[in-house]
Amino acid sequence: MRPFLAALALLTALPVRGVFSQEEMRRGVGFFPLVGYLLGGVLALASLLPLPPGLEGALLLALWLGLTGFLHLDGLLDSADALLGAKPRERRLAILKDPHLGAFAFGVGGLYLLLKWQALAPPPSPLFLLLLPGFARFLVLPFLNLYPLAREGMAALVRGGPLLPSLILALPLPLLFPLPTLLAVLAAFAVARLALSRLGGLTGDVLGAMIALAELGGLLGYALWKALGG
């Protein structure tokens, strides 16, 4: 139970009490998709409300960001400032620790929010909304175990956690929605490769950016899949 609570504390803004050991946080990796499914369950229920599409999309976006404490959006903004543009590696790493936002963060963040809102209005099927957050939280784990870390931090605390339970929990999305899954994987892969080339490895902020863009890629893939008659 404590590894699950550790995963919940790490990935959401829910009030989880207690201090968790590094081993409990590492074992909590096996529950990452389950935490995503809890988030997706709230989104799926909210998508059933009889609201105009634009308002429905805004509500879903607010819930998506709020329940995660804006954690992954923060990672996306910090990563945008650090990874984009011409800078030495040391400066990129320093930017990841800087709470101020630059032009890249505002540009990428604005486009991200606009695209995600549009992809949620009208909302995808409740089943897809349930499954996507769980898969996105599994998706970062293979990269975390295979790629080096650019520095020690939160990512190091969960590195090496059990992948098999996460993989089993994450399987429904690729089985039921292959095209959105493919675009989610490509989005996460692109961020990971960019971080590898410009930072020398991954950080907690980069993992947050990978989750954020994997979710956006999945939503855009769903819209494309529906447009193609899926």
Side-chain angles (χ1 to χ4, degrees), residues 74 76-85 87 91 95-96 98-110:
D74 178 70
L76 176 64
L77 299 181
D78 288 342
S79 297
D81 274 339
L83 297 179
L84 302 179
K87 311 175 188 75
R91 177 58 183 153
I95 288 173
L96 288 173
D98 190 341
H100 300 92
L101 299 181
F104 288 115
F106 282 108
V108 169

Side-chain angles (χ1 to χ4, degrees), residues 119-208:
L120 291 169
S125 73
L127 178 60
F128 182 75
L129 286 174
L130 169 67
L131 297 178
L132 178 60
F135 180 80
R137 280 149 188 79
F138 157 76
L139 183 55
V140 299
L141 299 179
F143 294 100
L144 179 59
N145 286 339
L146 291 172
Y147 282 34
L149 297 180
R151 67 182 182 204
E152 294 296 316
M154 187 60 67
L157 298 179
V158 296
R159 186 180 178 131
L163 280 182
L164 184 58
S166 292
L167 173 61
I168 293 172
L169 286 171
L171 281 177
L173 186 79
L175 293 176
L176 296 174
F177 302 98
L179 179 57
T181 298
L182 175 61
L183 292 188
V185 171
L186 291 176
F189 176 75
V191 177
R193 292 300 302 179
L194 186 62
L196 184 63
S197 66
R198 299 195 170 183
L199 295 175
L202 307 181
T203 69
D205 283 321
V206 170
L207 295 177

Side-chain angles (χ1 to χ4, degrees), residues 34-52:
L34 186 57
V35 173
Y37 291 149
L38 291 178
L39 169 62
V42 175
L43 297 173
L45 290 174
S47 71
L48 300 176
L49 296 174
L51 298 174

